[in-house]
Amino acid sequence: MTQSDQLIQKIELPESIIGLRKDGILHLYYKPHAEITSEYQLRQLEVMMQITGGKPHAAMYEAGEYSTVTSEAREHAILLEPKTPTLCKVVLVKTLAHKIIAEFYYKFNKPQQPYKVFSDFEEGIEWLTKTRAELESKP
């Protein structure tokens, strides 16, 4: 997991590591070769609620090599969005395949929360920090 020393709390599942960073950003790392299914998404949601206490956080999603998302899970993700304790999301991509999937999801599913794709970790963290501050300052 990138910068795992920044985590103050984490829970590991067979497919992922879900943690809360010192800066308050929720970090979801999908392990190499993980297959993300709608069943997994429900377990992920439970862990996210546990770590955040249900309070919305800025969130970074990062996929390891050869991890995949089923088409059913892509469709299910947009249905779970209102229940997910997130304010805004960054998808960190390292491969062209992951970039295509992340951009396809954005284009066709139209997330309600601010959502951006980055290939640079630090740029993603900066965007989340700025976006979180803007969202939290709104009345």
Side-chain angles (χ1 to χ4, degrees):
M1 182 173 207
T2 306
Q3 297 189 3
S4 61
D5 59 322
Q6 293 295 312
L7 296 178
I8 56 172
Q9 183 181 3
K10 75 176 180 178
I11 296 176
E12 188 163 350
L13 298 172
E15 303 89 346
S16 65
I17 300 170
I18 302 170
L20 186 62
R21 293 169 41 98
K22 293 175 186 176
D23 57 12
I25 293 173
L26 189 61
H27 191 156
L28 295 92
Y29 173 73
Y30 300 108
K31 296 176 181 177
H33 302 280
E35 180 181 53
I36 306 308
T37 64
S38 56
E39 292 82 14
Y40 163 78
Q41 289 171 322
L42 295 174
R43 287 185 284 128
Q44 173 183 289
L45 178 59
E46 287 178 22
V47 170
M48 291 171 73
M49 294 298 279
Q50 182 180 344
I51 287 177
T52 65
K55 181 179 183 253
H57 284 64
M60 176 175 282
Y61 294 76
E62 178 182 4
E65 289 184 320
Y66 308 110
S67 59
T68 60
V69 181
T70 66
S71 58
E72 179 184 74
R74 283 193 298 273
E75 293 170 14
H76 192 235
I78 201 67
L79 299 174
L80 287 178
E81 185 180 34
K83 300 174 185 175
T84 304
T86 56
L87 287 170
C88 51
K89 298 176 182 131
V90 158
V91 177
L92 183 67
V93 297
K94 296 177 185 171
T95 67
L96 180 59
H98 287 158
K99 182 176 182 172
I100 290 168
I101 291 168
E103 290 177 350
F104 180 87
Y105 174 80
Y106 179 76
K107 183 176 181 179
F108 290 99
N109 292 303
K110 310 276 190 248
Q112 298 301 303
Q113 298 175 347
Y115 174 103
K116 196 153 181 173
V117 178
F118 285 92
S119 57
D120 181 272
F121 185 88
E122 291 304 325
E123 286 179 16
I125 294 294
E126 287 174 23
W127 183 85
L128 285 170
T129 302
K130 178 182 173 222
T131 304
R132 175 181 58 195
E134 290 170 359
L135 291 169
E136 290 176 343
S137 70
K138 289 183 179 178

